Amino acid sequence: MAVIKSQPPPKGHDSITVTDNRTGKTITIPITHNSIPATAFKALKSVAPVSEDGIDTDDTANGIRVFDPAYLNTAAISSKITFIDGDKGFLMHRGYPIEQLAEKSDFLETAYLLIYGDLPAKKQYDLWKYEVMHHTILADDLIKLIGSMRYDSHPMSVFISAFAAMGAFAPEANPALQGRNLYINNKEVMNKNIIRIIGKAATVAAASMRVRMNRPFIAPRADLGYAENMLYMMDSMSEGENYKPDARLAKALEILFILHADHEMNCSTSTMTHVGSSLVDPYSAVAAAAAALYGPLHGGANEAVIRMIEKIGTVENVPAFLEAVKEKKELLFGFGHRVYKNTDPRSKIIREVSEMVFEACGREPLIEVATALKDAALADPWFVEKRLYPNVDYWSGLIYKAMGFPLDFYPILFAVPRVAGWLAHWKQALDSSNAKIWRPRQIYIGESIRDYVPIEDRSEKEIKDSKDGVKELPHYQSRRRLQARL
C-alpha cells in the first residue's frame, strides 16, 4: 500500500512525496491549485502477478489506478465558471456572488455571463436577448413529434425526446455530417447553436405542459422576458397577445432560473461535458444531460420534498417525523448537500422569493409545516452535528406548488435554466487546448481467464424460490410462463 511521507518538499516547490512500499520506489508529485495529477501514479509500477494464463488482470504494468467511486474526490476539469465553498455556504459565477446576481441580474444576462465569461454591455445584452428570443420557435415537424406524446407522459420524457430529435432538424450543426472538429474550428456555428438551444428550451418546456393539458401549443413572443414568455406559452388561453403573466411570478421565476443556472460539476453537467467530449452535436449532449437530471437523486429532489411535507401533514406531526428520521424509518429530503456543509446560499434567496409568490398566489398551506420542520431540525443537535441544513430544493418545490405547477413538472423547471450551465461547460471544454474524450479507467475484479463450455455440457443452475414462492431466474421471465415451463 502506498503511503504519503511527511517530509519537507523540494525547495521552491509545492509537492507531495509518495513511496510505493511494494517496490520502494519514491516519486515527487507537484501540487497545483491544491490538486495533483492522477497520471503521476502511473509511474508506480510493480511486477505483474504470475498466473497460469499469463494475463495481468490488475494491469500493474500501467501503474497504480486512483480508485474513486462516484468521483468523491476527483477533479475532472479546470474551470473558470462556478466556485462553491461548501463549508461557508458560498456560491459565485465568474466571480460574482449568487446573491448579487439574484438581486440585480436576469436569467439571460446570467446565462451570457456563464457562457462568455463577463457581464454584457448594454448593446451586447440587447443583441443577445434579441437573438435568443427570436430563436424560440420550433419546427413544425418537431411540434408534431411533441404533440404525438401521450397526455400522461412525464414532461422530462418529452423534453429529452424533443432535444434528441432537435439535432435532426439542424444537419448543418452535426459534426458527423460537417466534420468532427466543427465546434472547435467554427465558433460562429457554436454560438448560433448555443442561442438556438437556450431559446428553444423554454418553448419545449411549455409545449410539454400543453401536451399534458391537452391544449393547443402557443407560439412564443419575442417581446417578453425569458421566464415571462415561458409562463405566457403555458398559461395563455383565448386571450391571445392580450394576456401577460403576473409580473411578480415572472420575476420570481427569473430569480429561480438564475439560482438553478449552474452548480459546478454536478451529475447532469458532468454528463454534458462527458458526452460532449466525443465531439457530438450539442443537442444530443443536452438530451443526455437532461436524462441525468431526470433521476430522482438529482432533478427530482424538490418533488420529493413536497411529497415528504404532504406526508407529515401538520405542524404537530413534525417531532414524530424527525424521530423517525433518526431511527432510519423515514427519509429526510431537502436537507444536506454533497458540496454544502453549511446552509445552501440559494435556499436563503428562495425563501425570500417565496413571499413574492405567496403575495400573488396566496400563501401555500404547506409553508407552515415546512417552516416548523426547518426550525425543529436546526434546533436539534443530531441534525446540526450531521450538518443537515435546508438546500435549494427545500423551498423551491413550495414555490412551484404555489404557482400551480404539477409535481412532475418540477424537473423541467430545473432543466430549462440549467441548459445555460451545461452549454457554458460544454463550450469551455471545447475551447480548451487539451480537450480529450473522457474515458475513465476501471478496477477489474471479475473472473480470471476461463474456457468456453458448450451449452449442452454446462450444469443447470438451481432455480430458487422467491419470497412469495415463485421461481426466480437471474434474468427477467414472465412468472406465468416460467411456472408453466417448470
Side-chain angles (χ1 to χ4, degrees):
M1 179 178 179
V3 297
I4 299 176
K5 286 190 171 182
S6 299
Q7 64 182 52
K11 187 175 181 180
H13 294 83
D14 289 331
S15 63
I16 64 171
T17 301
V18 180
T19 298
D20 186 340
N21 291 331
R22 301 171 303 175
T23 63
K25 182 174 181 178
T26 297
I27 60 174
T28 299
I29 307 174
I31 300 174
T32 305
H33 297 297
N34 197 38
S35 67
I36 59 174
T39 53
F41 290 91
K42 294 177 72 174
L44 297 176
K45 303 177 181 180
S46 68
V47 178
V50 178
S51 60
E52 292 182 2
D53 52 49
I55 302 297
D56 177 17
T57 57
D58 283 339
D59 196 25
T60 55
N62 289 308
I64 288 179
R65 295 276 173 257
V66 178
F67 185 53
D68 186 15
Y71 301 104
L72 293 175
N73 193 38
T74 295
I77 65 166
S78 297
S79 180
K80 297 181 178 180
I81 299 171
T82 295
F83 172 78
I84 301 171
D85 186 327
D87 289 328
K88 295 181 179 178
F90 177 76
L91 167 66
M92 70 179 183
H93 298 317
R94 303 283 191 179
Y96 295 95
I98 190 63
E99 293 83 357
Q100 292 186 24
L101 294 173
E103 178 185 357
K104 302 175 181 179
S105 186
D106 63 26
F107 172 69
L108 286 182
E109 183 181 64
T110 298
Y112 186 98
L113 170 69
L114 290 170
I115 295 167
Y116 297 108
D118 291 299
L119 291 171
K122 180 66 166 62
K123 289 184 179 180
Q124 286 177 310
Y125 173 79
D126 290 344
L127 181 59
W128 165 252
K129 181 179 180 181
Y130 179 90
E131 290 291 345
V132 170
M133 297 308 297
H134 281 80
H135 280 83
T136 52
I137 297 175
L138 303 180
D140 288 343
D141 286 343
L142 187 58
I143 291 176
K144 292 177 184 176
L145 184 148
I146 296 173
S148 69
M149 301 288 182
R150 287 174 53 96
Y151 72 92
D152 57 354
S153 301
H154 194 289
M156 279 298 286
S157 295
V158 178
F159 190 88
I160 294 165
S161 301
F163 269 98
M166 205 177 292
F169 294 90
E172 75 283 359
N174 190 341
L177 299 174
Q178 304 301 330
R180 55 176 284 178
N181 292 326
L182 175 64
Y183 290 99
I184 293 175
N185 296 335
N186 195 327
K187 298 308 176 186
E188 182 178 350
V189 172
M190 172 184 276
N191 291 327
K192 180 177 182 179
N193 284 283
I194 285 173
I195 287 172
R196 279 179 173 174
I197 290 172
I198 293 176
K200 297 181 191 308
T203 309
V204 171
S208 71
M209 173 67 88
R210 302 292 286 196
V211 165
R212 69 174 297 132
M213 297 164 71
N214 196 26
R215 292 176 181 169
F217 297 159
I218 301 296
R221 283 178 54 181
D223 61 317
L224 299 179
Y226 190 83
E228 184 182 28
N229 176 54
M230 182 171 155
L231 290 174
Y232 166 79
M233 290 187 288
M234 286 191 293
D235 294 342
S236 182
M237 296 291 285
S238 59
E239 311 95 338
E241 293 193 356
N242 292 325
Y243 170 75
K244 289 192 70 174
D246 189 299
R248 293 167 295 183
L249 300 184
K251 175 63 176 176
L253 196 57
E254 284 277 341
I255 295 174
L256 288 167
F257 278 5
I258 290 172
L259 299 181
H260 285 98
D262 188 59
H263 207 240
E264 200 223 66
M265 277 286 103
N266 52 79
C267 178
S268 58
T269 303
S270 60
T271 299
M272 178 78 181
T273 315
H274 194 147
V275 173
S277 74
S278 74
L279 302 184
V280 73
D281 68 273
Y283 300 95
S284 298
V286 165
L293 186 75
Y294 191 7
L297 292 182
H298 193 2
N302 49 19
E303 178 181 345
V305 170
I306 295 299
R307 296 191 188 281
M308 174 189 72
I309 295 175
E310 287 179 335
K311 184 178 180 179
I312 295 171
T314 66
V315 172
E316 291 73 23
N317 293 334
V318 167
F321 176 80
L322 289 180
E323 288 303 314
V325 171
K326 295 178 187 179
E327 297 170 4
K328 297 184 178 180
K329 295 179 181 179
E330 294 284 359
L331 295 176
L332 182 67
F333 295 99
F335 284 76
H337 196 277
R338 176 122 160 212
V339 176
Y340 294 114
K341 305 307 177 186
N342 203 320
T343 301
D344 184 336
R346 299 169 299 171
S347 69
K348 298 178 182 179
I349 301 169
I350 287 181
R351 183 66 183 90
E352 297 169 1
V353 171
S354 66
E355 295 303 325
M356 186 190 313
V357 173
F358 296 156
E359 181 183 322
C361 300
R363 194 166 184 82
E364 166 56 46
L366 292 179
I367 190 67
E368 306 304 334
V369 180
T371 301
L373 179 63
K374 182 262 298 182
D375 291 342
L378 295 185
D380 189 316
W382 191 89
F383 293 94
V384 173
E385 181 181 346
K386 294 182 179 297
R387 307 179 85 171
L388 294 175
Y389 300 94
N391 59 38
V392 68
D393 299 311
Y394 191 70
W395 298 113
S396 60
L398 291 166
I399 295 176
Y400 295 148
K401 187 174 187 299
M403 293 177 71
F405 292 113
L407 283 178
D408 59 4
F409 198 76
Y410 291 6
I412 286 279
L413 296 167
F414 195 158
V416 171
R418 185 54 60 88
V419 163
W422 294 339
L423 290 169
H425 286 273
W426 172 75
K427 179 180 183 299
Q428 176 180 252
L430 293 184
D431 284 347
S432 67
S433 58
N434 62 344
K436 295 180 177 67
I437 187 170
W438 286 25
R439 207 291 190 187
R441 303 305 297 263
Q442 67 167 16
I443 308 297
Y444 180 73
I445 58 173
E447 299 284 350
S448 184
I449 190 169
R450 50 185 174 174
D451 293 324
Y452 181 87
V453 178
I455 192 168
E456 59 271 12
D457 296 334
R458 299 173 205 161
S459 59
E460 291 290 344
K461 297 185 182 299
E462 180 184 359
I463 300 177
K464 299 179 180 179
D465 286 343
S466 64
K467 292 180 180 179
D468 56 3
V470 179
K471 300 293 184 180
E472 285 187 333
L473 288 175
H475 59 275
Y476 170 77
Q477 176 84 40
S478 164
R479 289 188 171 191
R480 176 176 56 81
R481 286 194 291 271
L482 177 61
Q483 292 301 98
R485 294 185 65 181
L486 295 178

